[in-house]
Amino acid sequence: MPHPHIVIIGASSGMGYALARLCLSKGYPTAMLARHTAPMHTLAAQHPHVPHAVAQLDVCQTATIPEVLQNTLAQLKGMDVLVHCAGYGVVNPQLDYRIEEGMIETNIKGFTAVVDWAFQYFQQQGKGHLAVITSVAGLRGDRHAPAYFASKAYQISYLQALRHKAHKAGLPIYITDIRPGFVDTKPMEGRRFWVCSPETAAAQIFKAIRQHKRVAYITPRWRWVALAMRIAPSWLYEKVM
Ligand SMILES: NC(=O)c1ccc[n+]([C@@H]2O[C@H](COP(=O)([O-])OP(=O)(O)OC[C@H]3O[C@@H](n4cnc5c(N)ncnc54)[C@H](OP(=O)(O)O)[C@@H]3O)[C@@H](O)[C@H]2O)c1
């Protein structure tokens, strides 16, 4: 059976980059998109015999998304799986609105424009697989980074809606919600609690997609933190966090 064609948005660093490297090393036709194209071109050059595409995309420029994706898919010759890894998260204890706005633009507006386009593409194709890196952070609000946690809650809820839509349409469109805890990427420098490498995360994301999982915790033991976040009474959560 031919390898599925994979499109990774946010493939210039972190988990998206590690996943792109894994897909290319396995010979999967892979398209890589992000704002900084140099790392993706370098990676593609290491796998010259694997079909690939590299494109510049800023998901905050939502009007450009359809054209950039159409051109990329023409180059890749189709799309079976789209993995949305693009995201932005920083702590913002001062509630600086400009910082909150950056996370809203990327994690809410950009995310929505990408997944809506992908879902409609899969609807027309009659099948497909959409995977998004959300976060354990999406399970409950947090004072350190309100917009980040809220934007991840939005993504989790939006993916539930798309899964429902696919089910009602009777189409084999799979939706995978990938919820990491801490991964050792740029935004998480210095954090050391149950942290895993981007390579470990990429291997687990790859496996979750192959298994058509609905939700995958990265690493799996973060499901226990997720459970605690969901069931802890407010007084306890507010005291501990
Ligand atoms: N690291 C963690 O511990 C952790 C935990 C839970 C969830 N997450 C989530 O995992 C996802 C990936 O993050 P990461 O940890 O791998 O960090 P990362 O190294 O910063 O990767 C983020 C990727 O998103 C791309 N990106 C950011 N803004 C973009 C935009 N406006 N348009 C297009 N691409 C954009 C970046 O590329 P360019 O800058 O080149 O555009 C980069 O390729 C994020 O959604 C993050 O919230 C991370």
Side-chain angles (χ1 to χ4, degrees):
M1 213 166 86
H3 285 318
H5 290 51
I6 318 278
V7 173
I8 303 173
I9 300 185
S12 63
S13 66
M15 285 178 262
Y17 178 86
L19 182 65
R21 189 164 56 186
L22 182 64
C23 291
L24 287 166
S25 72
K26 289 180 180 289
Y28 284 52
T30 303
M32 295 165 275
L33 301 98
R35 291 168 302 182
H36 302 89
T37 53
M40 303 185 292
H41 279 300
T42 306
L43 184 57
Q46 292 163 13
H47 303 274
H49 304 301
V50 182
H52 62 264
V54 172
Q56 188 169 47
L57 177 68
D58 180 349
V59 298
C60 298
Q61 307 291 320
T62 52
T64 67
I65 290 172
E67 193 184 341
V68 174
L69 282 173
Q70 267 152 19
N71 292 341
T72 306
L73 266 50
Q75 240 182 297
L76 193 68
K77 300 191 169 56
M79 170 172 80
D80 300 295
V81 182
L82 184 140
V83 191
H84 186 70
C85 306
Y88 171 50
V90 285
V91 294
N92 186 15
Q94 305 304 325
L95 293 184
D96 178 339
Y97 180 69
R98 281 165 308 170
I99 296 176
E100 299 295 70
E101 194 175 28
M103 290 184 271
I104 293 165
E105 291 287 335
T106 309
N107 300 347
I108 295 186
K109 289 192 187 174
F111 156 83
T112 307
V114 167
V115 300
D116 280 3
W117 190 90
F119 191 86
Q120 284 160 3
Y121 177 91
F122 291 142
Q123 265 182 319
Q124 278 176 14
Q125 184 169 260
K127 61 179 178 160
H129 193 151
L130 171 66
V132 177
I133 303 185
T134 65
S135 176
V136 167
L139 298 172
R140 198 143 177 183
D142 182 89
R143 69 194 161 103
H144 301 289
Y148 181 71
F149 278 63
S151 67
K152 292 297 176 179
Y154 173 92
Q155 293 182 347
I156 288 172
S157 175
Y158 208 95
L159 293 178
Q160 286 166 352
L162 292 183
R163 192 179 295 115
H164 193 188
K165 223 170 151 51
H167 177 76
K168 287 289 179 193
L171 289 171
I173 298 174
Y174 300 99
I175 309 286
T176 299
D177 176 351
I178 295 149
R179 299 179 188 168
F182 289 141
V183 182
D184 197 8
T185 60
K186 244 181 337 187
M188 281 297 151
E189 277 166 10
R191 308 293 285 266
R192 284 291 172 263
F193 169 58
W194 279 1
V195 75
C196 76
S197 70
E199 290 71 29
T200 299
Q204 293 182 6
I205 292 166
F206 187 85
K207 190 173 166 199
I209 292 171
R210 283 201 64 171
Q211 294 178 341
H212 293 154
K213 284 228 168 126
R214 287 167 169 250
V215 177
Y217 288 96
I218 309 292
T219 55
R221 62 181 169 178
W222 275 90
R223 71 172 58 254
W224 302 114
V225 177
L227 179 67
M229 282 173 83
R230 272 200 303 261
I231 65 172
S234 298
W235 65 264
L236 180 63
Y237 185 79
E238 284 161 14
K239 196 171 172 182
V240 172
M241 297 298 284

